Amino acid sequence: MMKNLKESTPNGEKKKKTSHKQRQRKGRYYLLKTRDYLKNLGYEVDIVEKTQRIVTKDDKGKQFVLFQKKDLWGADLVARNREELIWVQVKSNKGDIGRGIKQLSEDENWPDSDVVKRWVMCWEPRVREPEIVEVIIAEQTLEDDELSSDPNVSD
């Protein structure tokens, strides 16, 4: 069983190091809190974060099982109503918003539609509503002068 280990902060205070199980519980808590929040807003919501079972062997040849969480196209949840479909990445740390945006941006096959949206929802401790960041990927467009200099483009 893993115990909380104490380490000192730069100003000399002691802080507890959270265990893997505590981080898992916290992540699951905010995932379910986000699901309930979106349901209360009138969305149908499904969890698309799945756990994959991996059977492997250690150095001595003994088999053991690892569990790895996989997101579907970078999202933990999918929410929909009659107007929109939203892929949601849930974060419990404001510093991880950038990583959530990156996870939802990795796949280049997102449709160019106002109906399909990608959100990173971040929960601060003791806050009733999350911060919602919409992921918008700017289109790369070529200017007319760039097109005219391209030998593959004909007039």
Side-chain angles (χ1 to χ4, degrees), residues 79-94:
R80 72 175 186 171
N81 62 15
R82 295 185 65 71
E83 290 86 33
E84 57 193 357
L85 176 70
I86 305 170
W87 295 84
V88 181
Q89 177 59 244
V90 180
K91 296 295 177 190
S92 59
N93 182 352
K94 201 168 191 165

Side-chain angles (χ1 to χ4, degrees), residues 55-92:
V55 180
T56 189
K57 293 183 179 182
D58 64 8
D59 295 339
K60 297 175 184 172
K62 184 178 176 184
Q63 266 193 345
F64 65 97
V65 179
L66 293 174
F67 294 96
Q68 181 180 22
K69 290 190 177 184
K70 294 287 223 177
D71 294 342
L72 179 62
W73 299 322
D76 297 324
L77 300 168
V78 174
R80 72 175 186 171
N81 62 15
R82 295 185 65 71
E83 290 86 33
E84 57 193 357
L85 176 70
I86 305 170
W87 295 84
V88 181
Q89 177 59 244
V90 180
K91 296 295 177 190
S92 59

Side-chain angles (χ1 to χ4, degrees), residues 11-42:
N11 56 1
E13 297 174 359
K14 298 283 184 179
K15 76 174 192 178
K16 291 182 181 180
K17 189 173 183 179
T18 56
S19 72
H20 179 69
K21 286 226 182 261
Q22 287 172 318
R23 288 190 305 271
Q24 281 182 323
R25 273 191 227 121
K26 181 180 177 183
R28 185 75 178 163
Y29 168 79
Y30 284 113
L31 182 74
L32 297 176
K33 187 174 181 175
T34 303
R35 182 194 63 186
D36 295 343
Y37 176 80
L38 290 169
K39 280 184 177 183
N40 288 337
L41 292 178

